[in-house]
PDB file of all heavy atoms in Angstrom:
ATOM      1  N   VAL A  32     -14.554  12.382  -3.506  1.00 94.00           N
ATOM      2  CA  VAL A  32     -15.325  11.445  -4.329  1.00 94.00           C
ATOM      3  C   VAL A  32     -16.700  12.049  -4.590  1.00 94.00           C
ATOM      4  O   VAL A  32     -17.283  12.722  -3.734  1.00 94.00           O
ATOM      5  CB  VAL A  32     -15.457  10.086  -3.619  1.00 94.00           C
ATOM      6  CG1 VAL A  32     -16.296   9.118  -4.445  1.00 94.00           C
ATOM      7  CG2 VAL A  32     -14.073   9.492  -3.357  1.00 94.00           C
ATOM      8  N   LEU A  33     -17.219  11.828  -5.787  1.00 93.00           N
ATOM      9  CA  LEU A  33     -18.539  12.356  -6.128  1.00 93.00           C
ATOM     10  C   LEU A  33     -19.615  11.799  -5.207  1.00 93.00           C
ATOM     11  O   LEU A  33     -19.578  10.632  -4.801  1.00 93.00           O
ATOM     12  CB  LEU A  33     -18.880  11.992  -7.581  1.00 93.00           C
ATOM     13  CG  LEU A  33     -17.995  12.611  -8.671  1.00 93.00           C
ATOM     14  CD1 LEU A  33     -18.436  12.111 -10.030  1.00 93.00           C
ATOM     15  CD2 LEU A  33     -18.067  14.125  -8.622  1.00 93.00           C
ATOM     16  N   GLY A  34     -20.575  12.646  -4.877  1.00 91.00           N
ATOM     17  CA  GLY A  34     -21.665  12.229  -4.020  1.00 91.00           C
ATOM     18  C   GLY A  34     -22.716  11.425  -4.777  1.00 91.00           C
ATOM     19  O   GLY A  34     -22.679  11.280  -5.998  1.00 91.00           O
ATOM     20  N   ALA A  35     -23.679  10.925  -4.007  1.00 89.00           N
ATOM     21  CA  ALA A  35     -24.734  10.095  -4.595  1.00 89.00           C
ATOM     22  C   ALA A  35     -25.657  10.894  -5.510  1.00 89.00           C
ATOM     23  O   ALA A  35     -26.380  10.311  -6.324  1.00 89.00           O
ATOM     24  CB  ALA A  35     -25.549   9.439  -3.473  1.00 89.00           C
ATOM     25  N   GLU A  36     -25.640  12.229  -5.391  1.00 93.00           N
ATOM     26  CA  GLU A  36     -26.523  13.042  -6.231  1.00 93.00           C
ATOM     27  C   GLU A  36     -26.053  13.099  -7.688  1.00 93.00           C
ATOM     28  O   GLU A  36     -26.823  13.494  -8.574  1.00 93.00           O
ATOM     29  CB  GLU A  36     -26.617  14.467  -5.667  1.00 93.00           C
ATOM     30  CG  GLU A  36     -25.333  15.291  -5.744  1.00 93.00           C
ATOM     31  CD  GLU A  36     -24.357  15.002  -4.618  1.00 93.00           C
ATOM     32  OE1 GLU A  36     -24.666  14.109  -3.798  1.00 93.00           O
ATOM     33  OE2 GLU A  36     -23.299  15.663  -4.566  1.00 93.00           O
ATOM     34  N   ILE A  37     -24.812  12.718  -7.959  1.00 94.00           N
ATOM     35  CA  ILE A  37     -24.291  12.699  -9.337  1.00 94.00           C
ATOM     36  C   ILE A  37     -24.348  11.267  -9.851  1.00 94.00           C
ATOM     37  O   ILE A  37     -23.693  10.375  -9.295  1.00 94.00           O
ATOM     38  CB  ILE A  37     -22.846  13.226  -9.396  1.00 94.00           C
ATOM     39  CG1 ILE A  37     -22.815  14.684  -8.909  1.00 94.00           C
ATOM     40  CG2 ILE A  37     -22.288  13.121 -10.812  1.00 94.00           C
ATOM     41  CD1 ILE A  37     -21.447  15.306  -8.934  1.00 94.00           C
ATOM     42  N   PRO A  38     -25.128  10.993 -10.885  1.00 95.00           N
ATOM     43  CA  PRO A  38     -25.368   9.604 -11.347  1.00 95.00           C
ATOM     44  C   PRO A  38     -24.219   9.047 -12.173  1.00 95.00           C
ATOM     45  O   PRO A  38     -24.396   8.699 -13.352  1.00 95.00           O
ATOM     46  CB  PRO A  38     -26.649   9.752 -12.157  1.00 95.00           C
ATOM     47  CG  PRO A  38     -26.577  11.131 -12.733  1.00 95.00           C
ATOM     48  CD  PRO A  38     -25.902  11.978 -11.675  1.00 95.00           C
ATOM     49  N   TYR A  39     -23.057   8.943 -11.586  1.00 95.00           N
ATOM     50  CA  TYR A  39     -21.886   8.459 -12.343  1.00 95.00           C
ATOM     51  C   TYR A  39     -22.075   7.012 -12.782  1.00 95.00           C
ATOM     52  O   TYR A  39     -21.857   6.671 -13.955  1.00 95.00           O
ATOM     53  CB  TYR A  39     -20.638   8.601 -11.487  1.00 95.00           C
ATOM     54  CG  TYR A  39     -19.352   8.316 -12.243  1.00 95.00           C
ATOM     55  CD1 TYR A  39     -18.682   9.329 -12.913  1.00 95.00           C
ATOM     56  CD2 TYR A  39     -18.802   7.029 -12.281  1.00 95.00           C
ATOM     57  CE1 TYR A  39     -17.497   9.078 -13.608  1.00 95.00           C
ATOM     58  CE2 TYR A  39     -17.627   6.773 -12.972  1.00 95.00           C
ATOM     59  CZ  TYR A  39     -16.982   7.798 -13.630  1.00 95.00           C
ATOM     60  OH  TYR A  39     -15.816   7.541 -14.327  1.00 95.00           O
ATOM     61  N   LEU A  40     -22.471   6.147 -11.861  1.00 94.00           N
ATOM     62  CA  LEU A  40     -22.624   4.738 -12.191  1.00 94.00           C
ATOM     63  C   LEU A  40     -23.747   4.514 -13.201  1.00 94.00           C
ATOM     64  O   LEU A  40     -23.635   3.652 -14.083  1.00 94.00           O
ATOM     65  CB  LEU A  40     -22.879   3.923 -10.919  1.00 94.00           C
ATOM     66  CG  LEU A  40     -21.724   3.866  -9.917  1.00 94.00           C
ATOM     67  CD1 LEU A  40     -22.104   3.031  -8.702  1.00 94.00           C
ATOM     68  CD2 LEU A  40     -20.472   3.313 -10.571  1.00 94.00           C
ATOM     69  N   SER A  41     -24.828   5.272 -13.088  1.00 95.00           N
ATOM     70  CA  SER A  41     -25.928   5.143 -14.052  1.00 95.00           C
ATOM     71  C   SER A  41     -25.461   5.556 -15.448  1.00 95.00           C
ATOM     72  O   SER A  41     -25.812   4.916 -16.453  1.00 95.00           O
ATOM     73  CB  SER A  41     -27.115   5.997 -13.615  1.00 95.00           C
ATOM     74  OG  SER A  41     -27.631   5.553 -12.383  1.00 95.00           O
ATOM     75  N   ALA A  42     -24.674   6.633 -15.506  1.00 95.00           N
ATOM     76  CA  ALA A  42     -24.157   7.084 -16.800  1.00 95.00           C
ATOM     77  C   ALA A  42     -23.205   6.044 -17.396  1.00 95.00           C
ATOM     78  O   ALA A  42     -23.251   5.775 -18.603  1.00 95.00           O
ATOM     79  CB  ALA A  42     -23.445   8.424 -16.637  1.00 95.00           C
ATOM     80  N   PRO A  71     -15.017   7.869  -8.244  1.00 95.00           N
ATOM     81  CA  PRO A  71     -14.996   8.889  -9.303  1.00 95.00           C
ATOM     82  C   PRO A  71     -14.852  10.289  -8.727  1.00 95.00           C
ATOM     83  O   PRO A  71     -15.311  10.584  -7.624  1.00 95.00           O
ATOM     84  CB  PRO A  71     -16.354   8.709  -9.982  1.00 95.00           C
ATOM     85  CG  PRO A  71     -17.237   8.181  -8.895  1.00 95.00           C
ATOM     86  CD  PRO A  71     -16.356   7.314  -8.035  1.00 95.00           C
ATOM     87  N   THR A  72     -14.196  11.147  -9.483  1.00 95.00           N
ATOM     88  CA  THR A  72     -14.036  12.540  -9.091  1.00 95.00           C
ATOM     89  C   THR A  72     -14.663  13.440 -10.151  1.00 95.00           C
ATOM     90  O   THR A  72     -15.203  12.967 -11.150  1.00 95.00           O
ATOM     91  CB  THR A  72     -12.546  12.890  -8.930  1.00 95.00           C
ATOM     92  OG1 THR A  72     -11.905  12.801 -10.210  1.00 95.00           O
ATOM     93  CG2 THR A  72     -11.866  11.926  -7.964  1.00 95.00           C
ATOM     94  N   GLN A  73     -14.576  14.748  -9.929  1.00 95.00           N
ATOM     95  CA  GLN A  73     -15.145  15.694 -10.883  1.00 95.00           C
ATOM     96  C   GLN A  73     -14.446  15.596 -12.235  1.00 95.00           C
ATOM     97  O   GLN A  73     -15.070  15.792 -13.280  1.00 95.00           O
ATOM     98  CB  GLN A  73     -15.029  17.119 -10.330  1.00 95.00           C
ATOM     99  CG  GLN A  73     -15.717  18.180 -11.166  1.00 95.00           C
ATOM    100  CD  GLN A  73     -17.219  17.941 -11.295  1.00 95.00           C
ATOM    101  OE1 GLN A  73     -17.877  17.602 -10.307  1.00 95.00           O
ATOM    102  NE2 GLN A  73     -17.757  18.116 -12.489  1.00 95.00           N
ATOM    103  N   TRP A  76     -16.103  12.814 -14.057  1.00 95.00           N
ATOM    104  CA  TRP A  76     -17.461  13.204 -14.445  1.00 95.00           C
ATOM    105  C   TRP A  76     -17.433  14.137 -15.648  1.00 95.00           C
ATOM    106  O   TRP A  76     -18.316  14.070 -16.520  1.00 95.00           O
ATOM    107  CB  TRP A  76     -18.169  13.858 -13.268  1.00 95.00           C
ATOM    108  CG  TRP A  76     -19.566  14.315 -13.561  1.00 95.00           C
ATOM    109  CD1 TRP A  76     -20.036  15.591 -13.520  1.00 95.00           C
ATOM    110  CD2 TRP A  76     -20.674  13.493 -13.937  1.00 95.00           C
ATOM    111  NE1 TRP A  76     -21.373  15.618 -13.845  1.00 95.00           N
ATOM    112  CE2 TRP A  76     -21.790  14.347 -14.106  1.00 95.00           C
ATOM    113  CE3 TRP A  76     -20.839  12.130 -14.142  1.00 95.00           C
ATOM    114  CZ2 TRP A  76     -23.050  13.870 -14.474  1.00 95.00           C
ATOM    115  CZ3 TRP A  76     -22.089  11.645 -14.514  1.00 95.00           C
ATOM    116  CH2 TRP A  76     -23.174  12.508 -14.676  1.00 95.00           C
ATOM    117  N   ASN A  77     -16.423  14.977 -15.733  1.00 93.00           N
ATOM    118  CA  ASN A  77     -16.281  15.838 -16.916  1.00 93.00           C
ATOM    119  C   ASN A  77     -16.054  14.998 -18.168  1.00 93.00           C
ATOM    120  O   ASN A  77     -16.537  15.337 -19.261  1.00 93.00           O
ATOM    121  CB  ASN A  77     -15.120  16.818 -16.717  1.00 93.00           C
ATOM    122  CG  ASN A  77     -15.410  17.848 -15.654  1.00 93.00           C
ATOM    123  OD1 ASN A  77     -16.570  18.131 -15.332  1.00 93.00           O
ATOM    124  ND2 ASN A  77     -14.355  18.422 -15.086  1.00 93.00           N
ATOM    125  N   ILE A  79     -17.285  12.021 -18.645  1.00 94.00           N
ATOM    126  CA  ILE A  79     -18.609  11.467 -18.980  1.00 94.00           C
ATOM    127  C   ILE A  79     -19.417  12.481 -19.770  1.00 94.00           C
ATOM    128  O   ILE A  79     -20.058  12.152 -20.790  1.00 94.00           O
ATOM    129  CB  ILE A  79     -19.359  11.078 -17.689  1.00 94.00           C
ATOM    130  CG1 ILE A  79     -18.678   9.901 -17.002  1.00 94.00           C
ATOM    131  CG2 ILE A  79     -20.820  10.756 -17.995  1.00 94.00           C
ATOM    132  CD1 ILE A  79     -18.835   8.583 -17.697  1.00 94.00           C
ATOM    133  N   LYS A  80     -19.390  13.728 -19.338  1.00 94.00           N
ATOM    134  CA  LYS A  80     -20.178  14.759 -20.019  1.00 94.00           C
ATOM    135  C   LYS A  80     -19.672  15.009 -21.440  1.00 94.00           C
ATOM    136  O   LYS A  80     -20.462  15.306 -22.347  1.00 94.00           O
ATOM    137  CB  LYS A  80     -20.165  16.046 -19.195  1.00 94.00           C
ATOM    138  CG  LYS A  80     -20.924  15.930 -17.882  1.00 94.00           C
ATOM    139  CD  LYS A  80     -21.115  17.270 -17.205  1.00 94.00           C
ATOM    140  CE  LYS A  80     -19.815  17.803 -16.646  1.00 94.00           C
ATOM    141  NZ  LYS A  80     -20.041  19.048 -15.847  1.00 94.00           N
TER     142      LYS A  80
END
Side-chain angles (χ1 to χ4, degrees):
V32 178
L33 295 178
E36 67 278 3
I37 299 180
Y39 188 89
L40 294 180
S41 297
T72 66
Q73 186 61 43
W76 179 242
N77 291 338
I79 292 288
K80 292 190 289 186

